[in-house]
Amino acid sequence: MSQVSPQATATKTVAETAFEARFSPRLVAAETYHDPNDVILFMHIPKTAGMSVGKALQEAFDIFHPVSWENTNQSFRNKTRKALYRRSDAANPCRQVLMGHFAWSDVMYWRHQELPLKCATIIRDPLDRFVSNYRYNTSDKHPQHEAFAARYPTLESYARVLPYDYQLSLMAGAFYSFDHALEKLNAAYSFIGVTEHLGASLQHFRRSHGLAELTEHRENTGNQAKAAEDIPDAVRNIVGEKSRNDARLHQLARRCYG
């Protein structure tokens, strides 16, 4: 597991306190983020129980817009335009959600227009997510697994190309401090869950957003708890060095559900 120094977590900052006030099930009242004409952008970070969450969202929302992974940017813009057009029919409100592997740069394309869009996502322990992602990409479930395995024959070779703070960078783009990243999340997101507490996360999403139902589906979760077992120290160190802020965010979010 990625380690966070005691100094980093000894005292809560203003941004951390605001984060908990915005995302903790203990502090957020029921239906705080309810909107009968919602358009929610649910960012799917790879290997964070996305298939399970996607099935739950399809059942909970009136319209589910899947964003294509093959041409994410264009698909995201097209699906968002479609959702916004549907939202403009004020006489017939409905709740819509988009889900896919889009990133902060895609979200900002619409936020610059001052549109009433909420963001949501689920995060995971950085090392567990990294190991799970590597194992998936090298398995026959991935259509290009042979090419991937040839390019990255070991976990360590893949760890060396891991971007810094992979999850936070997808969620918030560039930031100059951990508190700055939290401020961006607090401004843009209405829900951040954790894979390790998936059921509790989904129930908080349902309650805080006033959804009728949000059922947890257990898919591709059997090895999540063991994903990072027996990992070489060299890989742990590389992932830890490149995921310092991801680890702090995960620890902060997981504490909300603990």
Side-chain angles (χ1 to χ4, degrees):
M1 302 287 284
S2 303
Q3 299 297 314
V4 180
S5 66
Q7 294 82 0
T9 58
T11 304
K12 285 183 186 179
T13 65
V14 172
E16 288 173 331
T17 300
F19 180 94
E20 291 182 347
R22 185 161 181 82
F23 300 112
S24 173
R26 295 186 299 274
L27 301 175
V28 177
E31 302 203 13
T32 294
Y33 305 119
H34 177 261
D35 181 348
N37 216 6
D38 257 337
V39 176
I40 293 180
L41 309 179
F42 204 105
M43 186 181 294
H44 176 199
I45 298 171
K47 308 315 295 178
T48 57
M51 289 186 66
S52 301
V53 174
K55 181 172 287 188
L57 295 179
Q58 289 181 57
E59 297 172 351
F61 284 81
D62 298 315
I63 300 177
F64 177 84
H65 302 277
V67 176
S68 172
W69 61 270
E70 294 179 322
N71 188 356
T72 301
N73 301 89
Q74 191 60 50
S75 177
F76 176 78
R77 294 190 183 188
N78 290 341
K79 295 292 178 69
T80 310
R81 286 191 182 95
K82 182 178 181 179
L84 290 169
Y85 182 75
R86 178 64 183 81
R87 190 185 193 279
S88 68
D89 183 6
N92 297 289
C94 71
R95 307 192 73 177
Q96 303 177 79
V97 60
L98 288 84
M99 185 178 187
H101 293 306
F102 48 86
W104 181 252
S105 58
D106 301 302
V107 171
M108 286 306 295
Y109 176 83
W110 293 112
R111 286 189 64 81
H112 283 316
Q113 312 299 324
E114 299 181 0
L115 297 171
L117 303 174
K118 300 186 185 80
C119 295
T121 195
I122 289 181
I123 62 175
R124 187 178 179 184
D125 173 83
L127 182 61
D128 288 344
R129 194 213 65 82
F130 168 78
V131 173
S132 180
N133 190 51
Y134 180 81
R135 289 176 176 169
Y136 168 72
N137 285 333
T138 54
S139 74
D140 55 12
K141 294 180 181 179
H142 193 281
Q144 298 178 342
H145 65 278
E146 292 180 351
F148 181 91
R151 187 174 183 182
Y152 304 111
T154 65
L155 264 175
E156 185 171 347
S157 63
Y158 191 46
R160 294 192 180 282
V161 300
L162 176 69
Y164 289 104
D165 290 321
Y166 176 78
Q167 295 180 81
L168 246 180
S169 296
L170 285 176
M171 297 167 67
F175 52 90
Y176 59 81
S177 70
F178 183 64
D179 278 1
H180 179 224
L182 293 185
E183 290 167 4
K184 296 177 76 172
L185 297 178
N186 292 344
Y189 286 75
S190 60
F191 167 77
I192 296 176
V194 290
T195 303
E196 294 82 358
H197 295 290
L198 183 60
S201 295
L202 291 177
Q203 286 309 305
H204 172 53
F205 188 38
R206 179 196 62 76
R207 179 175 173 272
S208 62
H209 288 69
L211 296 166
E213 187 176 354
L214 202 58
T215 304
E216 179 184 6
H217 296 272
R218 306 296 294 179
E219 295 188 16
N220 296 335
T221 60
N223 295 320
Q224 284 182 358
K226 299 181 179 180
E229 289 184 359
D230 303 321
I231 302 305
D233 288 342
V235 173
R236 292 177 180 273
N237 292 336
I238 294 171
V239 175
E241 290 169 1
K242 290 187 169 187
S243 308
R244 180 178 64 249
N245 294 298
D246 272 0
R248 288 186 68 182
L249 177 66
H250 178 259
Q251 183 182 69
L252 181 61
R254 189 167 185 176
R255 194 161 60 232
C256 291
Y257 292 95

